[in-house]
Structures are given as structure tokens and as C-alpha cells.
Amino acid sequence: MLGNIQPLDRVFLQIGPVSIYWYGVIIGTGVLLALYIATREAERRGLSKELFVDLVLFAVPIAIICARIYYVVFKWDYYSQHLNEIPQIWQGGIAIHGGLLGAVATGLVFAKVKGVSFWKLADIAAPSIILGQAIGRWGNFMNQEAHGGPVTREFLEGLHLPDFIINQMYINGTYYHPTFLYESLWNLAGFALLIALRRVNLRRGEMFLAYMIWYSIGRFFVEGMRTDSLMLTEMLRIAQVISLFFIVLAVVLLVVRRVKGWSKERYLE
């Protein structure tokens, strides 16, 4: 019976009064796997793997804080009345664009302090970032958030999805588009693309800019399907506006850096 469908338990482990949520476990797993891949590539590119460990120690906490601040700011009507919920990130509610802005800002400062090219660090990190995002979307799955509009069970079965995904998309008596899955798969394809582009030996910085373009294209279309978007106006979804901005910015930087000769170094150099 449909009424007997129960969502997956959001708690990964209960230790006395302390609850460890799947949301945090999944995001943490994504960060660790992304770090492993980045450090391996850093060593191949002649950098110390400790460099990326140090970067992550700063970038991840700052990115999470910025992602939460970004989300809370655009949901201030709610959080101004529920101040105690602002730190409760295990309930969901972190915006990836806010996290990206925080991570890039941290990377710029870190590169300056360490005397390393920011673009070199960004190129090495790009595949890891998009892989971490692909994994992190499954945290949204466990929280039954970041989904699209209503659909039928027959529609979901037509996508040949396993029952555990279909059942988790049954929320308050209605089935929904698994937009978390669409974005996760798009990001996995982007990870494969960026790994392949390493062999092309792009100019320095272009790997990261390719990531910006690929991720933003997918996010723009998936965001249009979601029902929980942060809104700039009644018609404008913030994530779509930011995605378009990132696409234009990345294309402009690709052209300008080539024309001005700012990207003479190659990725494999």
C-alpha cells in the first residue's frame, strides 16, 4: 500500500543523545574522496599533497559557512523568526553557489600566501569539486529535499529507477521528480569530461573554467524543475541567475585570458 511507504532513516548513527545524520556523512564522504583525487593529481603536477590538505582545512569550513549564510540570507523571512535553526545545517539548507564563492575566495587568498598559481590549484581541484557535488546531492536525497514537481509512480518506474529511489521520492502522499539525481548524474558526466580534458592539455585555468560552464549549464536546467528554489523575485530563481552569470563570466575569461596572453602555461606543464 502507498500509505505504508516509509522514508529512509535520516540518522546514520545514534550515540546517546548525539545523532549523526546521513546528510553530513554523505557530504563528508564526498569531501574526502575529492581530496584524495586532488592530492594524487597535485603530486603528479609537482606539488606537495599536503598543500591541498592545508587548503581543504580552510576551504571546507569556510565554504560550508558561506553556503549556509547564502541560504539563510535568501530565506531571512523564515530564519528571522527561527534564529535557533540557523546553525542546524544537518536539516539541509546549504546553497552550493554560496559554498563555491567561499571556496574560491579562500583559494585566492591561500594561493597568494603560498606563492602558488591560483589557476593551477583550481585546475587540479575542478574534477574533485564536481565529483564532490555529485556525491553531495545524495545528502539531499536522504533529506527528501531538492526535488522537482509532482509526477506519477509510473513515470518514475519508466526511468528504470530502483525502488529505494522511487519510494524516497514519495513525500506527503505525492511522488516528485528526483532532480537531485538528474544533477548528480550531470555532475558525474562532468567529472568524466574533466578527467578526459586533462589529456587535451588545456591552457592553465581553462580546466576550472570548463567546470564552471558545465556545472552551470546543468544547474540552470535542473533548477528550473525544482520546487524549493531560492527566489530573487517572483519569477527569477537565484540559482539560474547565478548560473547564467557564471557561464558568461567563464566564457569571457576564456577569451580575454587567451587574447591578453595570460594563459600561456599549459595544464600539464
Side-chain angles (χ1 to χ4, degrees), residues 4-262:
N4 293 328
I5 295 177
Q6 296 295 320
L8 298 174
D9 191 348
R10 295 170 56 225
V11 177
F12 170 74
L13 183 64
Q14 189 76 38
I15 305 175
V18 178
S19 299
I20 300 174
Y21 289 83
W22 273 108
Y23 186 82
V25 171
I26 290 171
I27 290 178
T29 299
V31 169
L32 291 176
L33 182 56
L35 176 60
Y36 172 75
I37 292 172
T39 54
R40 288 283 301 272
E41 183 64 11
E43 287 185 302
R44 292 182 63 233
R45 298 275 65 80
L47 297 175
S48 167
K49 67 179 181 180
E50 283 76 20
L51 187 70
F52 266 91
V53 174
D54 293 342
L55 174 57
V56 165
L57 289 176
F58 289 104
V60 169
I62 292 173
I64 291 174
I65 291 171
C66 289
R68 185 58 170 175
I69 291 174
Y70 184 102
Y71 184 85
V72 169
V73 165
F74 288 106
K75 286 281 193 179
W76 186 243
D77 286 346
Y78 174 82
Y79 284 103
S80 63
Q81 305 299 318
H82 303 83
L83 296 177
N84 63 304
E85 294 184 22
I86 292 177
Q88 297 177 13
I89 61 172
W90 56 87
Q91 301 290 351
I94 59 175
I96 288 178
H97 282 136
L100 285 175
L101 293 172
V104 168
T106 304
L108 286 167
V109 174
F110 183 86
K112 183 72 173 179
V113 171
K114 294 292 185 179
V116 180
S117 166
F118 164 78
W119 292 110
K120 186 172 185 177
L121 292 179
D123 280 347
I124 292 171
S128 294
I129 294 172
I130 202 166
L131 178 62
Q133 289 173 312
I135 295 171
R137 277 302 177 200
W138 288 85
N140 299 132
F141 166 72
M142 293 301 299
N143 277 2
Q144 293 185 305
E145 60 188 6
H147 57 72
V151 295
T152 64
R153 184 178 181 93
E154 289 71 25
F155 172 85
L156 296 176
E157 290 174 344
L159 298 178
H160 305 290
L161 300 177
D163 282 344
F164 80 93
I165 292 180
I166 294 176
N167 292 340
Q168 190 70 353
M169 288 297 98
Y170 186 69
I171 305 167
N172 297 326
T174 304
Y175 288 98
Y176 291 94
H177 267 294
T179 45
F180 85 92
L181 179 62
Y182 305 156
E183 188 173 329
S184 181
L185 293 175
W186 177 262
N187 290 344
L188 284 176
F191 171 72
L193 172 65
L194 294 178
I195 293 298
L197 285 178
R198 284 177 173 174
R199 298 179 178 272
V200 177
N201 198 16
L202 298 175
R203 298 187 187 191
R204 183 174 292 178
E206 293 182 350
M207 182 80 72
F208 181 72
L209 295 176
Y211 152 74
M212 284 180 60
I213 294 170
W214 179 272
Y215 171 70
S216 297
I217 290 172
R219 180 62 188 272
F220 178 86
F221 287 105
V222 171
E223 190 69 24
M225 302 173 66
R226 285 176 54 172
T227 60
D228 61 345
S229 298
L230 297 175
M231 305 299 291
L232 190 60
T233 68
E234 288 187 7
M235 299 297 295
L236 291 176
R237 300 169 189 257
I238 295 169
Q240 288 186 311
V241 174
I242 296 296
S243 294
L244 287 176
F245 172 75
F246 279 174
I247 292 170
V248 173
L249 177 63
V251 171
V252 169
L253 286 173
L254 277 168
V255 174
V256 170
R257 294 181 77 249
R258 286 205 172 204
V259 171
K260 296 289 187 180
W262 297 341

